[in-house]
Amino acid sequence: MKEDLLTRTIIGLAIDVHTALGPGLLENAYKECLFYKIDQAGFQVEKEKIMPLVFEDVKLDCGYRIDILVENKLVLELKSIEALSDVHLAQTLTYMKLGGYRFGLLMNFNVLRLKDGIRRIVNGY
């Protein structure tokens, strides 16, 4: 599936979750529900994917985990906070860089309309 179509489909599923639950819950609630919806839609999906840091040819587990990885190409970083900041963007970009992924979605579920809490990210390295 093309990345643009995949991204739009996942955003649609996230909007379904947000419509059903509304804002104000913990991040983990949205993560579990979105993971379920993506899995039910037939996509290959991983939750809490460990991302080791490679330093001097040694893989180190520093606690980095991608919230959700879809089709081994789309990184989903989920938040339920007052507002997204540059730190959250940097976190998502770090996960994308560590895993060699080009596409990501940074989503804040603590908004009235989910589309106002989504940032699409394309890493051009």
Side-chain angles (χ1 to χ4, degrees):
M1 177 179 276
K2 288 280 202 184
E3 286 79 9
D4 188 52
L5 179 58
L6 176 62
T7 300
R8 283 187 280 133
T9 303
I10 297 306
I11 289 173
L13 294 173
I15 289 172
D16 291 346
V17 169
H18 188 265
T19 300
L21 300 177
L25 299 177
L26 294 175
E27 173 187 316
N28 199 50
Y30 299 109
K31 181 175 18 181
E32 292 299 326
C33 292
L34 184 55
F35 176 83
Y36 171 78
K37 290 285 284 184
I38 294 168
D39 186 54
Q40 289 298 300
F43 292 101
Q44 176 197 359
V45 61
E46 296 176 73
K47 178 176 46 172
E48 296 290 327
K49 180 173 175 62
I50 295 172
M51 293 305 308
L53 175 67
V54 178
F55 178 73
E56 295 183 355
D57 296 326
V58 176
K59 287 185 180 183
L60 305 169
D61 182 2
C62 296
Y64 294 119
R65 285 175 173 66
I66 294 174
D67 284 338
I68 297 175
L69 181 63
V70 183
E71 295 290 315
N72 203 35
K73 65 172 106 177
L74 178 62
V75 173
L76 305 183
E77 181 60 28
L78 309 183
K79 301 293 180 194
S80 183
I81 54 178
E82 188 173 327
L84 294 174
S85 72
D86 290 342
V87 170
H88 304 115
L89 175 60
Q91 178 186 19
T92 307
L93 285 168
T94 296
Y95 293 154
M96 292 168 66
K97 180 181 176 184
L98 289 174
Y101 306 112
R102 283 198 65 220
F103 303 96
L105 290 171
L106 175 56
M107 300 180 176
N108 181 15
F109 281 83
N110 197 31
V111 292
L112 292 178
R113 295 182 319 167
L114 186 61
K115 74 176 196 165
D116 296 331
I118 297 175
R119 290 191 65 179
R120 293 180 188 194
I121 305 162
V122 178
N123 196 348
Y125 61 84

